[in-house]
Amino acid sequence: RMGAAGCFGGPLFNLCIGAGVPMLLASVFGGGHFCLAYERSVPLGVLALLLSQSTSLIVLPLRGFNLDRSFGFFLVIFYAAFMTLSIVFEVAGSGADQTLRNLFVTNAQC
């Protein structure tokens, strides 16, 4: 159980501290507003992360936190699908880029 907790807790801690603290400092000392550069792969990565984590959050308690081969197989297939979609979106160019941009980018002026 400690290994499974470390697999989820470590990256979450790094994300919250590694991204949260610098953004908080930039917001406080930079006038309360900052802009991030848009990258094609970020929205897809965020969606994949949210879907993977929410699936794990639902499935693991239902199975009594028993990590078996079938759930590992599901995660490997999910990762392969994510990588395939990432490559397709990067290679496809402007059409896929515009679709993702319309879904996730607000009209905030930066």
Side-chain angles (χ1 to χ4, degrees), residues 16-67:
C16 291
I17 298 301
V21 171
M23 287 184 182
L24 175 69
L25 293 175
S27 179
V28 169
F29 296 115
H33 151 272
F34 62 92
C35 293
L36 299 174
Y38 175 78
E39 295 287 333
R40 283 187 204 175
S41 59
V42 171
L44 183 60
V46 169
L47 281 176
L49 178 66
L50 288 174
L51 185 60
S52 170
Q53 294 297 309
S54 60
T55 302
S56 296
L57 184 67
I58 292 168
V59 170
L60 288 177
L62 291 176
R63 292 181 172 210
F65 296 95
N66 185 15
L67 299 172

Side-chain angles (χ1 to χ4, degrees), residues 87-104:
I87 292 169
V88 167
F89 278 129
E90 285 296 322
V91 172
S94 63
D97 183 37
Q98 191 60 37
T99 302
L100 288 174
R101 189 179 296 266
N102 290 340
L103 287 174
F104 296 104

